[in-house]
Amino acid sequence: MTVIAGLLVLALLGQASPRTYYWRDAAGQTHITNTPPPADAEVLATPPPPAVEPGRAGPTEVVRQVMLSPVQQQAWSVLDERLAKARSEGDHGTLEAVADSLINDCLWGHGLRAMPVAPVLTVALMGLLGWWLAIGLRPGLHAPLVAGFLMLGLALGHLVLNVFLYHHQAVRLRQNLELLEQHLGTGMALRPDHQRLLQQRYQALEQAADPLQPPWRFPLEVRTLRAVMKQVMVDP
């Protein structure tokens, strides 16, 4: 498991929702890169999904392209081989542990572990601001003013939590779990019902990261996604 954890770290290294650029150079050649185009390049719009012919069902999801470095590609390939070995040996514990480890890295890696402190600081600062403003007022106004600023701090803290933590966690989870779907050690694609189930969970996770959602919904969606991912790992 130590080796597999190291492979996950390499696979995730530097992978933070890269943007894909579509552009055309002076010679008229079209390029797709994850680095900004030159200043004299013509930036193109993101191509739409493939057209659907009449009478034929189209894809329900657009495939998300992720640019991996050679180190990441190698790490995912080796992880794929180790998962294949664990699968052949019936080692369900390792399969579930890999899903757990990847989800935890997506949730708290790259400095995200410190982000839950931000909403707490927001509430504390707003409370102190309310207390400071209430100093010059008559005593009867102190409590309502401080309480009002604390409520405002709670609202701002919730916004900070969703925008700066939940949103990034949702992006990282979807991006890396979709990569894991391609490296399960089976050499085959997921069953269609599992693909649909995971896509539903990704969408629910992204909706839960919306600032208008209650703060407890996102952790509940993460717990559901974790359980589904373990099920998929054991029986893809």
Side-chain angles (χ1 to χ4, degrees):
M1 273 309 301
T2 303
V3 175
I4 291 180
L7 291 171
L8 286 173
V9 171
L10 286 175
L12 288 166
L13 187 61
Q15 196 174 312
S17 187
R19 176 181 175 182
T20 302
Y21 297 87
Y22 299 83
W23 52 281
R24 184 180 294 119
D25 59 24
Q29 185 175 1
T30 301
H31 301 266
I32 303 176
T33 64
N34 65 335
T35 56
D40 59 346
E42 177 188 356
V43 179
L44 305 176
T46 302
V52 179
E53 297 180 13
R56 298 183 62 179
T60 57
E61 290 289 335
V62 178
V63 177
R64 299 191 175 197
Q65 301 272 339
V66 178
M67 304 296 292
L68 299 178
S69 69
V71 173
Q72 291 171 322
Q73 293 175 12
Q74 179 66 18
W76 280 108
S77 297
V78 175
L79 179 64
D80 194 35
E81 295 173 3
R82 293 192 176 273
L83 289 177
K85 184 174 183 293
R87 199 173 297 283
S88 66
E89 296 174 351
D91 187 358
H92 293 173
T94 293
L95 297 174
E96 293 183 353
V98 168
D100 257 335
S101 179
L102 181 59
I103 289 173
N104 289 337
D105 284 340
C106 290
L107 289 174
W108 305 115
H110 293 271
L112 293 180
R113 189 175 299 276
M115 282 307 300
V117 178
V120 176
L121 291 177
T122 301
V123 175
L125 289 173
M126 292 303 295
L128 286 173
L129 179 60
W131 171 80
W132 179 74
L133 292 174
I135 290 177
L137 302 177
R138 65 176 185 267
L141 296 178
H142 288 187
L145 185 62
V146 173
F149 270 83
L150 285 174
M151 294 298 294
L152 181 59
L154 285 173
L156 291 176
H158 174 60
L159 182 64
V160 169
L161 185 68
N162 284 78
V163 173
F164 294 102
L165 180 62
Y166 288 170
H167 172 72
H168 292 289
Q169 288 178 332
V171 170
R172 285 168 55 80
L173 281 167
R174 179 165 191 165
Q175 175 182 294
N176 289 292
L177 291 181
E178 284 183 340
L179 279 169
L180 182 60
E181 291 176 32
Q182 305 168 32
H183 300 86
L184 292 177
T186 62
M188 300 181 296
L190 282 178
R191 300 202 314 252
D193 58 327
H194 278 174
Q195 290 180 353
R196 288 192 297 270
L197 180 60
L198 284 173
Q199 290 299 326
Q200 291 170 0
R201 301 272 44 96
Y202 299 150
Q203 291 171 5
L205 197 68
E206 291 168 352
Q207 292 170 2
D210 189 277
L212 298 180
Q213 297 297 322
W216 55 83
R217 183 183 169 189
F218 188 85
L220 292 177
E221 291 294 346
V222 170
R223 186 169 64 180
T224 303
L225 175 62
R226 190 188 297 269
V228 170
M229 198 66 216
K230 287 183 179 180
Q231 173 189 345
V232 170
M233 289 291 291
V234 172
D235 181 24

